[in-house]
Amino acid sequence: MTDALWVLVPALLAVAALVVVRGRLPVLFWWLVGYPVVALRVLATYRATMDACGLTVPASAMRRATARMIGRQAAPVPPRHSLPLPTGSGLVMRLRMAAGQAPEDFTASADRLRHAWGAHAVHVRPTRPGRLELRLVGWDVLADVRPARRWLRTEPLSLPLALREDGHWHVRDFRTVPHELILGATQSGKSVYLRNLLCGLARQPVALVGIDCKWGVELAPFAPRLSALADTPDRANDLLDVLVEEMEARFRLIGMRGGTAPDAVLTSDVWGLPEKARPVPVVVVVDEVAELFLAASKDDEKRRDAMVTKLIRLAQLGRAAGIYLEVCGQRFGAELGKGATMLRAQLTGRVCHRVNDETSANMALGDIAPEAALAATSIPAERPGVAVVGDSSGGWSRVRSPHLTLDDAAAVCRDTSGLVPELPRLDAFRPVVAEPAGPPSLPATVPTARPATE
């Protein structure tokens, strides 16, 4: 009896330790237990699973002839595959498709493969003609999203903002996708996504411009790092005039630099200019766009149409001048006035959190991928921070931002206030920041790693 206890107690302790590790450190549990079990299951059942899912092809004539010679029936042939290699959230295999197969066949069978191999999700991605990547996710990586690791290298104006459901980070690259539309209902996680965006840009040599017609309540905490802030529709209209003037001045600079010498390198945007002559990038954040375009009279309608026209000009021409737009709101539709649909077409990046109606999801993602709009309408209210991200290429994915409190975000902006660039045209709109009455604030802490709740 004593010998049995000496064996049973350590075994129970080991099981309890694995349960704790699985809940608190799922990555460690995956490397210790999950990956070996799933990899062995995949290797042992690969041929049978592919045959059951209809992903095999008939054997070649030579194989059939050889099988007849030995009195057997030639089995269907599955795609060739590599060894399942571990990743931080699952495993990946590279497949070579047989003749007559297409990536769509594997995408349609992804859910059946997930159940057959006991994975949380299966994602299929074509890599080159005839080959694809089969990625298995071991657990729900969106349940507890932590900030991106420090060593995750990104280029200027490129930020890891949210974790995708396949374990990769969604990177917001302004030079590739210059303008973005962010939609989400109250308490959907839209504000947390925006905080991560502003804090990431605050650490870079970028001019941040805010337009918040709710009297600045959303963007005022970031005022120390903002180059300009408009908190009323009238101020926003004037600020947009200045931004259009800044854009025109930058185009004149590009034109003059392009013809200064016979051997000068021609360029059509600011990134082709010499680094010393290159103007600083400007990111314009328009929060709650519906408040900006509300109209109660004829004069308000004229002002609204004028602002939409200016935003369209910035969206169409701003990329070459280094001016980028982030338009946020609870909904976005044609009721915002003339040109709203044209403005939406220029906002090629789309982020849709949980919304209050199907129309908003269709406005955000319907022109990109109808299935993405359907996925956005199925985001549960108890999973704040989950969103559907898409772009003009038609690709989309579910993502979730790491939680970042308003205090932590404001602290980052206070600590990076020295990075505010000199832009004389925006001086009249520079927000007034009151000096703290108490002792100086401590350095910004690392954001708490827990799911978004706002």
Side-chain angles (χ1 to χ4, degrees), residues 190-233:
K190 172 173 60 70
S191 297
V192 175
Y193 182 91
L194 188 59
R195 290 172 199 167
N196 282 277
L197 174 71
L198 289 171
C199 287
L201 291 173
R203 300 183 177 95
Q204 299 188 15
V206 177
L208 297 177
V209 175
I211 298 177
D212 181 9
C213 290
K214 293 192 299 183
W215 294 277
V217 295
E218 291 286 346
L219 299 182
F222 315 111
R225 184 58 181 85
L226 297 180
S227 298
L229 176 61
D231 54 5
T232 64

Side-chain angles (χ1 to χ4, degrees), residues 42 44-59 73-79 95 101 106 109 112-113 116-117:
V42 169
T45 65
Y46 177 78
R47 179 182 291 271
T49 301
M50 287 292 170
D51 190 20
C53 294
L55 298 176
T56 57
V57 296
Q73 185 176 2
V77 179
L95 274 60
Q101 291 183 327
F106 294 84
S109 301
R112 284 178 284 179
L113 295 175
W117 289 332

Side-chain angles (χ1 to χ4, degrees), residues 279-292:
V280 63
V282 178
V283 177
V284 183
V285 179
V286 182
D287 190 73
E288 206 53 67
V289 65
E291 292 290 332
L292 180 65

Side-chain angles (χ1 to χ4, degrees), residues 46 50 55 79-82 92-98 101-107 113 122-135:
Y46 177 78
M50 287 292 170
L55 298 176
R80 295 182 181 180
H81 67 91
S82 66
V92 61
M93 287 195 308
R94 290 171 177 81
L95 274 60
R96 182 177 181 179
M97 293 180 289
Q101 291 183 327
E104 290 76 14
D105 301 331
F106 294 84
T107 303
L113 295 175
V122 174
H123 299 277
V124 179
R125 183 177 69 90
T127 55
R128 54 177 177 167
R131 299 178 185 271
L132 55 83
E133 181 183 271
L134 204 65
R135 181 174 293 269

Side-chain angles (χ1 to χ4, degrees), residues 411-428:
V412 171
C413 290
R414 287 194 302 269
D415 294 339
T416 56
S417 58
L419 297 178
V420 177
E422 292 291 335
L423 283 176
R425 286 187 177 86
L426 299 179
D427 287 345

Side-chain angles (χ1 to χ4, degrees), residues 13 31 36 53 57 97 119 147 205 230 271 273 336 345 360 367 439:
L13 290 176
W31 282 91
C53 294
V57 296
M97 293 180 289
W271 297 103
L273 297 175
L336 298 183
S360 297
D367 59 334

Side-chain angles (χ1 to χ4, degrees), residues 43-401:
L43 293 175
T45 65
Y46 177 78
R47 179 182 291 271
T49 301
M50 287 292 170
D51 190 20
C53 294
L55 298 176
T56 57
V57 296
S60 63
M62 183 175 293
R63 286 192 177 187
R64 293 196 301 270
T66 304
R68 284 195 299 268
M69 291 175 60
I70 60 177
R72 292 184 179 181
Q73 185 176 2
V77 179
R80 295 182 181 180
H81 67 91
S82 66
L83 290 176
L85 302 177
T87 64
S89 58
L91 59 85
V92 61
M93 287 195 308
R94 290 171 177 81
L95 274 60
R96 182 177 181 179
M97 293 180 289
Q101 291 183 327
E104 290 76 14
D105 301 331
F106 294 84
T107 303
S109 301
D111 201 48
R112 284 178 284 179
L113 295 175
R114 175 177 73 90
H115 287 289
W117 289 332
H120 177 76
V122 174
H123 299 277
V124 179
R125 183 177 69 90
T127 55
R128 54 177 177 167
R131 299 178 185 271
L132 55 83
E133 181 183 271
L134 204 65
R135 181 174 293 269
L136 278 68
V137 180
W139 71 96
D140 185 5
V141 296
L142 301 184
D144 184 17
V145 179
R146 302 172 183 271
R149 285 189 280 258
R150 295 286 184 181
W151 51 263
L152 185 62
R153 298 182 59 185
T154 54
E155 300 295 329
L157 285 175
S158 180
L159 308 167
L161 293 182
L163 186 66
R164 295 193 331 215
E165 60 183 345
D166 61 358
H168 287 120
W169 278 89
H170 164 62
V171 178
R172 174 75 172 96
D173 188 352
F174 284 85
R175 296 185 63 179
T176 302
V177 182
H179 312 301
E180 188 174 61
L181 175 63
I182 306 171
L183 292 184
T186 304
Q187 299 293 319
S188 65
K190 172 173 60 70
S191 297
V192 175
Y193 182 91
L194 188 59
R195 290 172 199 167
N196 282 277
L197 174 71
L198 289 171
C199 287
L201 291 173
R203 300 183 177 95
Q204 299 188 15
V206 177
L208 297 177
V209 175
I211 298 177
D212 181 9
C213 290
K214 293 192 299 183
W215 294 277
V217 295
E218 291 286 346
L219 299 182
F222 315 111
R225 184 58 181 85
L226 297 180
S227 298
L229 176 61
D231 54 5
T232 64
D234 290 331
R235 291 274 291 175
N237 192 25
D238 296 337
L239 178 55
L240 289 174
D241 283 331
V242 173
L243 289 172
V244 172
E245 292 176 5
E246 176 71 20
M247 180 181 67
E248 293 172 352
R250 294 186 176 201
F251 276 112
R252 287 194 293 268
L253 175 64
I254 295 171
M256 290 188 300
R257 287 281 178 174
T260 52
D263 57 347
V265 177
L266 298 178
T267 180
S268 59
D269 58 45
V270 295
W271 297 103
L273 297 175
E275 187 173 355
K276 292 183 179 180
R278 186 184 306 159
V280 63
V282 178
V283 177
V284 183
V285 179
V286 182
D287 190 73
E288 206 53 67
V289 65
E291 292 290 332
L292 180 65
F293 295 144
L294 284 177
S297 63
K298 291 292 184 180
D299 292 337
D300 291 342
E301 291 181 1
K302 292 179 181 179
R303 182 192 59 203
R304 176 192 64 188
D305 294 341
M307 286 191 291
V308 172
T309 302
K310 295 166 191 174
L311 284 173
I312 291 174
R313 290 194 64 192
L314 290 173
Q316 289 179 332
L317 305 174
R319 184 203 62 81
I323 300 178
Y324 310 99
L325 294 180
E326 289 287 326
V327 179
C328 313
Q330 294 190 30
R331 62 175 289 108
F332 190 93
E335 71 277 3
L336 298 183
K338 299 177 181 178
T341 305
M342 185 183 297
L343 174 61
R344 184 194 66 160
Q346 301 295 327
L347 307 174
T348 52
R350 308 289 176 83
V351 180
C352 185
H353 295 78
R354 178 178 54 83
V355 290
N356 293 324
D357 58 306
E358 186 179 352
T359 303
S360 297
N362 289 328
M363 287 297 293
L365 301 166
D367 59 334
I368 291 178
E371 61 273 17
L374 182 62
T377 59
S378 62
I379 296 175
E382 60 271 14
R383 295 293 295 270
V386 176
V388 175
V389 171
D391 55 46
S392 57
S393 67
W396 64 277
S397 177
R398 292 181 183 88
V399 301
R400 197 177 195 184
S401 304

